[in-house]
Amino acid sequence: MPSSNLDLSGVWSLASADAVHRADMPLPGDVHTALKVAGLIPDPYEGRNEEQVQWVAERDWVVERQFVVDDPDGRWYLDITYLDTVAIVFINDVPVLSADNCFRRFRPDVSAALQTGENTIRIHFHSSIAAGAERQARQPFYVPYHPGNSPIPNGNMLRKPQCHFGWDWNIAIAPLGLYGEIALKRLDPARIEHVVTSQRHVDGRVELHVALTLYAEEPTIVPVHFDLDGDRIRLDCGVAAGETKVHHVFEIDEPRLWWPAGSGDQHLYRLTVDIPGETVARQIGLRTVELLTDPDEAGSRFAFRINGREIFCRGANWIPADALFSLTSPEKTQDLLQSAVDANMNMIRVWGGGFYEADWFYDLCDRLGLMVWQDFQFACNLYPSTPDFLDDVAEEVDYQVRRLITHPSIVLWCGDNELVGALTWFKESIGNRDRYLVSYDRLNRTIEQALRKAAPDAIWWPSSPASGYLDYGDAWHADGSGDMHYWSVWHENRSFDNYRSVRPRFCSEFGFQSYTSLPVIQTYADPKDLNIASPVMEHHQKNAGGNERIAATMFRYFRFPKDFANFVYLSQVQQALAIRTAVDYWRSLKPHCMGTLYWQLNDTWPVASWSSLDYGGGWKVLHYVARRFFQPVAVAAIPSEDGAEIRISLVNDTRDAVNVTINLSTASLDGIRTPLKSVDAFSSPDAAVTAVTLSAADLPPDAILFWSFTATNGMGGEGHYVHGTYKALDLTPSGLEVSVSPAGDGAIDLLVQASGLALFVMVESDTPGRYSDNAFDLTAGESRRITFTPSAPSAAGPVFRIYDLYSCQSAD
């Protein structure tokens, strides 16, 4: 029998529409990377090359390949996903698809265009820049976009990742290409359109409802097999022309539940649905999810309940893994997500200016126990509300929700990122708020209705941030209800103490910038560029005023660093200090606050940003510190508003009560420790308590408060607190020494010793890898043994550099 499925991925020929530029291009892939590999453009990430490649997005591009069909009889269709974005597909010069939404799946009938033997398929990509301008001109009224985030205009007209047009952390090159599947398939006799599941948990049992949607051109009988971990059943189904739904229910008597990371195991079942010639597989995690928004005296709650238990959400915001699709891979993404779990995170927010990620991304989150807050892909702009645009959005939402709803990791569907706030950002919407508010409401309502139709039980939240349903208030500063984006410390240049002026119910965005690590900077900057005011360094800072804010904050808290390398290091220390200040306080408010998701986990290219992971996946100081402040059992020092007292907070996110022994001490500036007191504290399950309150007046002058703790569940940790600013400390030499020895399997042991006080000790290598610990403190006579595991084997051993606060600021 002739093949009924022809994969069209592989190497295609690429040419500009005027045929001036030609190269090979792998699909899936993007045009910029193909041109770079062919030597036709420089690496956009190096130096200021972004400026040299702007012409690419201004042109139309054509990709083409040949394929052979032995028997073109019957019904054939193309299966295409992630086509970016405005494109026409031709087979043998016959147009078979006109597409303009990167987030939809297209399945056009191409039977009439096929011929026996060799066929040619061609995709003509229209410039997104030109398409955006054309669509803006057709709007009944002007629809503003955010020029600070989008230096390439009118991206809000197109259904593609909004960050492709720039952002305050992203390169602005408007990439284009195809990032998903492209295949030619025979409809023989039917195909699977969707497999959607829902669950009913009753009296310790679970009913798993499977809804299969089949598509056929004419009435037929289709044998269908449903299989759940070996429980297999066959149904011979009569289907009509068009779509037919087939239902089956699996009854599970002793269900093994799926839990978020740190709260239990991630039990997964394998569901397969097959018809002749096609099989669809899904990971199934059995769990219940509730979003609690009950009114209370402060406003209303915002908390997730999983399997009947409230879970404090610890995590960060996810942006696309790379600015260019061809530079991503499942392996690189898995490393980033594993780093989130390794830092004790249990949730990520897939932010609304990027992608609905690929199926394998959510499979990874399922297996890792990372809850996913899923934004619909609208961010920081206003959007059209014309009928054609809304119809397209409804199709997008329907497809994406049916594709992803089965994943246990996805616990929330959110309408957009900051569109309510955007109503206050543009002169047009300020001057005619009613028009733009009604327009926004039409879009938001379209998304909600499409979600409800595709998955009636899905949890919906209208926007982030939002104080509640149909509440269009200021959720950036109002902390009584809903989720909050708190940006006053960064964007308004407030002190870190300002994080303790608000009491969010759930903070889904807050952040502070740092520079990416020196070895990463050296991949895009020459030695002459290693100055924060150099044109190259300023080019790799996309937030207006970001470099000035980083430097000004250093003047507030630290003595200025002695050179560029230490400037980079100190920027990461102060970033970690900022985020730790917020998380420590907000976690101590539990259960008033039930979630902190900082901005952001990862980078799309090498750039100064709010990320805790470098481009390439290396851990910044913040990520090592986050592993401590996100530990399920954690201890923190929190000063009172007037600074007279220091509260030692104990937080327990586990389901079991814990007894904790906290050892408090002080250290002089030459690193000599003096025991202060030992405290035994108790916390009930899922609680935050004050272990002890200290009077700041009882601390010796110029002394630093240290603590270490051990809990009965085996967790432990340490930390320090400075009552005042670090710049006020007359630190003395730390006497850091490092000895290196092989640890086997390519790993390296490092013994770090101090003869004085060493704060924020950070070891860095010139080759990528991971440290078992970093960004730690040592006092006089202390040592710590850590292990460095290189990311890849290397004939030459890594060269290590060590930083600490004293050596960062001292010219010795």
Side-chain angles (χ1 to χ4, degrees), residues 490-692:
W490 174 257
H491 287 301
E492 299 173 27
N493 202 27
R494 304 288 182 89
S495 71
F496 296 167
D497 291 338
N498 186 258
Y499 283 123
R500 293 190 285 265
S501 71
V502 294
R503 297 166 56 87
R505 313 314 300 262
F506 192 112
C507 200
S508 49
E509 270 194 35
F510 62 102
F512 200 90
Q513 266 201 3
S514 72
Y515 292 104
T516 191
S517 300
L518 183 61
V520 179
I521 292 174
Q522 290 170 331
T523 66
Y524 67 78
D526 293 332
K528 65 180 176 62
D529 301 315
L530 301 185
N531 183 300
I532 63 164
S534 75
V536 167
M537 289 300 296
E538 289 190 335
H539 192 83
H540 286 252
Q541 164 61 272
K542 295 300 186 180
N543 183 241
N547 288 346
E548 295 92 328
R549 196 163 296 125
I550 291 173
T553 303
M554 283 188 190
F555 278 117
R556 181 182 290 167
Y557 292 108
F558 299 98
R559 300 184 187 188
F560 216 63
K562 63 185 180 184
D563 57 23
F564 180 78
N566 281 286
F567 189 95
V568 171
Y569 155 76
L570 193 56
S571 78
Q572 294 192 10
V573 169
Q574 74 175 8
Q575 177 192 34
L577 182 63
I579 303 307
R580 188 186 73 187
T581 300
V583 173
D584 283 350
Y585 178 62
W586 295 340
R587 285 190 74 188
S588 80
L589 301 178
K590 179 180 178 175
H592 174 90
C593 176
M594 285 299 290
T596 60
L597 308 179
Y598 64 73
W599 185 270
Q600 67 215 58
L601 180 67
N602 56 305
D603 272 335
T604 58
W605 72 307
V607 67
S609 81
W610 299 265
S611 71
S612 61
L613 296 175
D614 281 322
Y615 178 69
W619 289 28
K620 294 184 181 179
V621 172
L622 171 56
H623 211 79
Y624 286 103
V625 173
R627 183 166 61 184
R628 300 185 191 113
F629 64 59
F630 273 154
Q631 189 171 230
V633 176
V635 168
I638 300 171
S640 59
E641 186 175 352
D642 60 6
E645 294 181 332
I646 304 165
R647 178 168 61 92
I648 306 300
S649 168
L650 167 62
V651 179
N652 175 21
D653 284 349
T654 74
R655 67 176 75 193
D656 299 313
V658 292
N659 289 291
V660 178
T661 298
I662 305 171
N663 293 309
L664 299 164
S665 61
T666 59
S668 60
L669 299 185
D670 57 3
I672 304 302
R673 276 192 192 256
T674 302
L676 187 62
K677 65 172 60 178
S678 181
V679 176
D680 290 324
F682 170 82
S683 174
S684 56
D686 290 312
V689 299
T690 297
V692 65

Side-chain angles (χ1 to χ4, degrees), residues 130-174:
E134 292 164 2
R135 292 174 184 224
Q136 181 71 266
R138 295 201 303 263
Q139 296 303 309
F141 51 86
Y142 179 70
V143 183
Y145 65 92
H146 193 301
N149 284 336
S150 302
I152 297 177
N154 300 315
N156 56 334
M157 295 293 105
L158 300 179
R159 297 306 302 134
K160 69 171 281 159
Q162 297 296 275
C163 65
H164 279 181
F165 300 90
W167 221 259
D168 54 6
W169 39 259
N170 199 32
I171 190 169
I173 54 178

Side-chain angles (χ1 to χ4, degrees), residues 69 136 142 146 209 257 259 275 296 367 417 439 453 504 524 528 604 622 747 749 754 812:
V69 177
Q136 181 71 266
Y142 179 70
H146 193 301
H209 293 251
L257 298 182
W259 287 93
I275 64 174
D296 61 15
R367 294 196 292 270
N417 175 78
S439 180
K453 180 180 178 182
Y524 67 78
K528 65 180 176 62
T604 58
L622 171 56
D749 271 344
D812 293 350

